[in-house]
Amino acid sequence: MRATILVVAIASAAIAFTAAPSVAGGCTPGPTKIGGKDAMVYSFSAGTCATTSKYFYLNIGTEIFGVAKQKQPYFGVLAGQYPGSNPGTKPSPRDGTYTGGLVVVRSQNKAYDLNGAGDKNVKITLKKGRTAGSFTGSTFFTPHTKVTGSFTC
């Protein structure tokens, strides 16, 4: 499945990510303001979504293993009993809200990672037959930036 994304993060350093202006309701890449705070809109495209009986995943962009801050944009979502998830993590076989997931946002040498294994406030909601969803949480590393967003496969 092809993936698109709209992610909005608002905190002391606000950011926004979008896959297509039509998804974002007219957002275009570049500097902007969100909730009165400085923000940046990035564009992601050409990704994949897949589901199994135990987990959901979405990957957009280029993932560089072992590099927390990378220039190339990457966005990933893992929900349920994905390979490498903590023991006892519940599967995500249907639409619903799940904790224990992972959301990774990397762009312009910045990392905004939501680690549900370390923070139960990270929530990933799957809907429309697990072809769309949303997420919310704060980044795992300081300064704990609040990140919320949605995606469609």
Side-chain angles (χ1 to χ4, degrees), residues 3-109:
T4 59
I5 176 178
L6 167 64
V7 180
V8 178
I10 302 175
S12 59
I15 58 169
F17 299 87
T18 180
S22 61
V23 173
C27 290
T28 55
T32 190
K33 294 262 187 196
I34 297 175
K37 298 182 185 254
D38 289 331
M40 181 63 74
V41 176
Y42 296 96
S43 177
F44 291 90
S45 62
T48 58
C49 286
T51 59
T52 72
S53 62
K54 294 186 177 185
Y55 67 93
F56 164 89
Y57 76 85
L58 174 146
N59 287 300
I60 300 175
T62 303
E63 180 179 16
I64 302 174
F65 300 110
V67 177
K69 295 181 179 181
Q70 64 184 60
K71 186 175 180 181
Q72 298 81 359
Y74 172 72
F75 174 75
V77 176
L78 287 162
Q81 281 181 348
Y82 55 88
S85 62
N86 283 341
T89 300
K90 294 180 181 177
S92 59
R94 64 186 65 82
D95 289 354
T97 299
Y98 299 92
T99 59
L102 183 65
V103 178
V104 177
V105 181
R106 308 262 169 89
S107 188
Q108 303 299 319
N109 293 317

Side-chain angles (χ1 to χ4, degrees), residues 102-135:
L102 183 65
V103 178
V104 177
V105 181
R106 308 262 169 89
S107 188
Q108 303 299 319
N109 293 317
K110 298 198 188 279
Y112 302 94
D113 297 352
L114 308 182
N115 184 345
D119 181 355
K120 297 301 176 195
N121 291 316
V122 174
K123 293 185 173 95
I124 300 169
T125 300
L126 302 175
K127 55 188 177 182
K128 297 184 180 180
R130 298 190 300 166
T131 63
S134 60
F135 55 89

Side-chain angles (χ1 to χ4, degrees), residues 125-150:
T125 300
L126 302 175
K127 55 188 177 182
K128 297 184 180 180
R130 298 190 300 166
T131 63
S134 60
F135 55 89
T136 186
S138 294
T139 55
F140 190 66
F141 299 108
T142 304
H144 304 296
T145 304
K146 172 93 173 156
V147 179
T148 62
S150 61

